[in-house]
Amino acid sequence: MSITRRSWRAIAAAAGLALLAATAPSAVAQTDQQVPERGLYHVRGADDAAKRTAVARTGVDVAGTENGALTVVANPAQAATLRANGFTVDQIGDFDALLKQRSVVPGQARSAQADEFPSGDEKYHTYTETTAELKQVVADHGDIAQLSSAGKSYEGRDLNVLKISDNAATDEDEPEVLFTCNQHAREHLTTEMCLHIAQRFTDGYASDPKIKEMVDGREIYLIPNVNPDGSEYDISGGEYQGWRKTRQPVPGSSEIGTDPNRNWDYQWGCCGGSSDQPGDEDYRGPSAFSEPETKAVADFISSRKFTAHIDFHTFSELVLWPYGFTEDDTAEGMTAEEAKRFQDVGKEMAGTNGYTPEQSSDLYITDGDVNDWAWGKHKILSYTFEMYPKSGGIDGFYPPDEQIEEQTTRNDQAVDILLREAG
Ligand code: LU0
Ligand code: CA
Ligand code: CA
Ligand code: CA
Ligand code: ZN
């Protein structure tokens, strides 16, 4: 029996979750009688890509790594399957209890209606605040910034697109670069990353000759919220919800939401890198581009001529490149020379931010992700950055807002390298 009988407080302390350990009430202590519907587990024995893929294939939500173990969110049946498959599975907490712990500052609980981050994290931008910020950028820098929409989310929110270039209103013959953020709802630090890029290239334009050169020589496009319904849902009720997917109901099912990063129409569902079970966190959707968000962003990308792209995620501090659907370095549409370019540029970028560079499938197999589609369909030099922190449990998705500046600025040089490579 591998479910531990130690108290939650002791386990959290052992796992290095100092803050949670200090504040977790004994009410959430785990016993064999309390197997939570959404449990947070450490999975040991998944020490290569094939084994991590095997873990992901059970439908669990792989959050990251911690102390040499994979951190996953799983229901009781999934935890049992993992054990039956020979993995060592230690329950480290009740996911929902942990989220509550992370969200609520005693005495400062928010009203259920508030469109705002939990107390103490207000520096993060809600969708409304992000939109206002983008409008402000255009109001302040109308000559070099233009706001448009790639379409609407399922719930009707605009998928904001900010263009930054000299003569922003004119489609000039300059290399086009794309940054996308917040495909996954709870990865809020990524929205801040897109906003930081917007601010840096506009506020710095008049005073910094290097910024001016980059802005004048490129057309830079930013989509800060690819999944705005999901990110708003994630902060609804004044508490973090731990939500990853979109918010469109799955036809013929009681489940809501599809993993947008398994929904792209390139080798969709090909290779066991996504799930066909609507309740799973990596559910690929009933068909490729079933989600209005991925469809609209894909149509937008196809309407332009992007040469380079970063899709920002959290967490684990990784620079990832395609393909995700195969462990092979080369495949149809990826020559050895092209693979080497991905590796060289990926390693150069990682050299500036201290992330670990690797092919996406070195983490685990994914199919239908944005990088595979962007490269496979359009030959866009397309990377995923998994941002701060390097390791963690569920708290890894919710770093305190004090981290925003340091963790977004950390990618400045990597962003500049991508702009250079777009030329
Ligand atoms: O979509 C994902 O599973 C990503 C990793 C892939 C881009 C290879 N990890 S995340 O969901 O934890 N951001
Ligand atoms: Ca704070
Ligand atoms: Ca221009
Ligand atoms: Ca152009
Ligand atoms: Zn993600």
Side-chain angles (χ1 to χ4, degrees):
M1 173 74 67
S2 48
I3 295 178
T4 177
R5 288 170 192 274
R6 287 186 297 157
S7 79
W8 157 237
R9 190 184 302 265
I11 296 154
L17 299 170
L19 187 132
L20 291 167
T23 54
S26 51
V28 294
Q30 298 299 318
T31 70
D32 286 0
Q33 282 74 48
Q34 299 170 294
V35 181
E37 191 40 45
R38 289 204 294 176
L40 194 64
Y41 296 89
H42 278 168
V43 178
R44 288 178 201 282
D47 28 33
D48 61 30
K51 288 183 181 141
R52 285 189 291 275
T53 298
V55 170
R57 277 184 188 158
T58 64
V60 301
D61 187 358
V62 181
T65 57
E66 196 171 36
N67 299 335
L70 276 190
T71 311
V72 309
V73 183
N75 64 33
Q78 291 166 334
T81 304
L82 286 171
R83 291 193 180 102
N85 291 349
F87 294 105
T88 304
V89 180
D90 293 322
Q91 187 178 311
I92 56 168
D94 176 328
F95 183 72
D96 291 288
L98 286 168
L99 283 173
K100 226 184 181 60
Q101 210 62 51
R102 173 66 187 86
S103 306
V104 177
V105 176
Q108 288 185 46
R110 282 193 189 284
S111 80
Q113 286 76 38
D115 170 28
E116 181 52 288
F117 277 80
S119 301
D121 280 342
E122 292 92 341
K123 287 203 191 76
Y124 282 99
H125 290 75
T126 65
Y127 173 77
T128 311
E129 292 165 349
T130 302
T131 304
E133 187 63 39
L134 295 172
K135 287 184 175 157
Q136 192 60 49
V137 167
V138 173
D140 293 345
H141 309 278
D143 45 337
I144 56 165
Q146 196 183 43
L147 187 60
S148 62
S149 171
K152 300 268 189 198
S153 69
Y154 172 73
E155 291 175 355
R157 295 183 176 89
D158 270 312
L159 302 168
N160 292 315
V161 179
L162 187 75
K163 177 186 174 186
I164 303 171
S165 187
D166 63 341
N167 311 311
T170 310
D171 186 359
E172 297 190 302
D173 190 15
E174 295 156 349
E176 299 179 2
V177 189
L178 176 67
F179 299 98
T180 48
C181 297
N182 183 222
Q183 261 208 93
H184 288 140
R186 63 194 170 193
E187 299 172 9
H188 302 286
L189 184 61
T190 66
T191 301
E192 304 304 320
M193 186 69 229
C194 270
L195 285 175
H196 172 77
I197 295 172
Q199 281 148 359
R200 177 166 168 253
F201 284 114
T202 54
D203 290 343
Y205 186 78
S207 56
D208 184 337
K210 282 200 208 116
I211 296 256
K212 183 171 189 308
E213 197 187 328
M214 287 188 276
V215 169
D216 289 352
R218 299 284 181 270
E219 294 189 316
I220 303 165
Y221 286 84
L222 297 156
I223 306 184
N225 297 103
V226 171
N227 180 9
D229 300 351
S231 59
E232 284 295 279
Y233 177 76
D234 191 58
I235 58 168
S236 62
E239 280 172 24
Y240 291 125
Q241 303 294 322
W243 193 256
R244 168 180 172 92
K245 300 191 281 184
T246 59
R247 290 297 297 166
Q248 177 171 243
V250 177
S253 152
S254 59
E255 301 287 347
I256 292 179
T258 287
D259 184 344
N261 208 29
R262 300 293 183 278
N263 192 238
W264 295 73
D265 192 11
Y266 187 80
Q267 300 283 12
W268 177 81
C270 71
C271 303
S274 58
S275 171
D276 62 0
Q277 299 296 306
D280 285 351
E281 293 293 346
D282 61 346
Y283 175 55
R284 67 176 79 104
S287 56
F289 291 147
S290 57
E291 305 312 286
E293 298 84 4
T294 50
K295 175 79 171 82
V297 173
D299 286 349
F300 168 72
I301 295 173
S302 299
S303 77
R304 306 223 52 88
K305 290 196 177 68
F306 291 111
T307 54
H309 166 231
I310 297 173
D311 189 41
F312 287 99
H313 288 253
T314 66
F315 61 96
S316 292
E317 299 188 359
L318 304 170
V319 171
L320 303 174
W321 54 81
Y323 285 121
F325 78 86
T326 173
E327 282 168 17
D328 297 342
D329 294 6
T330 57
E332 196 189 328
M334 177 78 78
T335 66
E337 203 182 338
E338 290 165 338
K340 178 150 191 321
R341 180 162 182 236
F342 268 111
Q343 292 162 18
D344 288 348
V345 177
K347 285 175 187 167
E348 187 185 353
M349 292 192 291
T352 67
N353 59 16
Y355 292 6
T356 302
E358 62 187 14
Q359 187 178 337
S360 170
S361 53
D362 290 342
L363 187 62
Y364 44 72
I365 295 277
T366 55
D367 45 44
D369 80 22
V370 66
N371 300 140
D372 283 11
W373 179 85
W375 175 257
K377 283 265 200 253
H378 293 300
K379 285 280 186 291
I380 297 169
L381 192 74
S382 178
Y383 290 88
T384 287
F385 277 25
E386 296 273 5
M387 295 177 67
Y388 175 90
K390 194 168 192 64
S391 70
I394 189 57
D395 55 328
F397 290 113
Y398 302 106
D401 62 4
E402 286 75 11
Q403 285 287 342
I404 291 172
E405 197 184 333
E406 185 180 335
Q407 298 306 329
T408 55
T409 310
R410 182 175 175 178
N411 286 319
D412 287 351
Q413 286 171 274
V415 163
D416 296 354
I417 289 167
L418 193 85
L419 288 178
R420 183 196 75 204
E421 287 298 317

